[in-house]
């Protein structure tokens, strides 16, 4: 309810950074509640808005969110690539994705689950592929057919 109200206000003022941040936050709430279709929609919206606004931290958080959606949908390889791309690109900005302990634990839980579905070699190879992606490559990979770059 508060997120929706905040979005309405941000849209009235054309505040792209706030719109993207709120949609990303709403996507995480949807994930926790098990609504991965809505979460995916919100993360794609976040990516597209963040591309226009230039706010990389929000964009990279959405990449990670889409990775967790892919995991929930059973696409382990896509999930790991996107999560590792998001983490690596955050590191390149000199930031830590989900710096607070609660979010780190949440992401750690997902990484451990991915580890149990892949052998060590596959996990390492897919992680390396994700870590090697540029922002543009990761966004193109995340958006697939929706890419407008």
């Amino acid at each position: 309810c508060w997120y929706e109200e905040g979005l309405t206000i941000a849209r009235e003022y054309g505040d792209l950074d706030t719109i993207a941040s709120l949609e990303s936050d709403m996507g995480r709430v949807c994930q926790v509640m098990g609504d991965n279709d809505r979460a995916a929609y919100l993360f794609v919206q976040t990516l597209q808005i963040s591309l226009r606004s230039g706010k990389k931290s929000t964009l990279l958080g959405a990449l990670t969110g889409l990775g967790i959606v892919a995991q929930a949908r059973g696409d382990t390889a896509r999930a790991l690539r996107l999560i590792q791309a998001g983490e690596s690109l955050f590191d390149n900005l000199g930031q830590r994705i989900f710096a607070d302990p609660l979010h780190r634990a949440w992401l750690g839980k997902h990484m451990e689950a991915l580890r149990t579905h892949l052998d060590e070699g596959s996990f390492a190879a897919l992680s390396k592929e994700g870590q090697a992606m540029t922002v543009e490559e990761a966004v193109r990979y995340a958006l697939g057919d929706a890419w407008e770059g």
Side-chain angles (χ1 to χ4, degrees), residues 89-103:
L89 291 165
F90 255 106
D91 288 346
N92 292 344
L93 290 176
Q95 297 178 11
R96 241 182 122 193
I97 190 168
F98 304 133
D100 64 278
L102 180 62
H103 280 99

Side-chain angles (χ1 to χ4, degrees), residues 21 38 88 94 111 121:
S21 291
R38 178 83 173 137
S88 176
M111 290 299 291

Side-chain angles (χ1 to χ4, degrees), residues 60-134:
L60 299 177
L63 284 175
T64 305
L66 285 169
I68 294 170
V69 167
Q71 179 186 15
R73 292 177 172 170
D75 192 343
T76 305
R78 182 177 186 77
L80 187 54
R81 283 186 194 108
L82 287 171
I83 292 170
Q84 291 291 31
E87 283 199 287
S88 176
L89 291 165
F90 255 106
D91 288 346
N92 292 344
L93 290 176
Q95 297 178 11
R96 241 182 122 193
I97 190 168
F98 304 133
D100 64 278
L102 180 62
H103 280 99
R104 288 299 312 162
W106 182 67
L107 184 58
K109 177 185 94 169
H110 288 283
M111 290 299 291
E112 283 306 311
L114 288 170
R115 213 177 266 285
T116 64
H117 287 90
L118 294 165
D119 62 71
E120 192 173 312
S122 296
F123 187 90
L126 291 167
S127 292
K128 188 174 180 180
E129 287 175 23
Q131 291 165 353
M133 287 183 184
T134 64

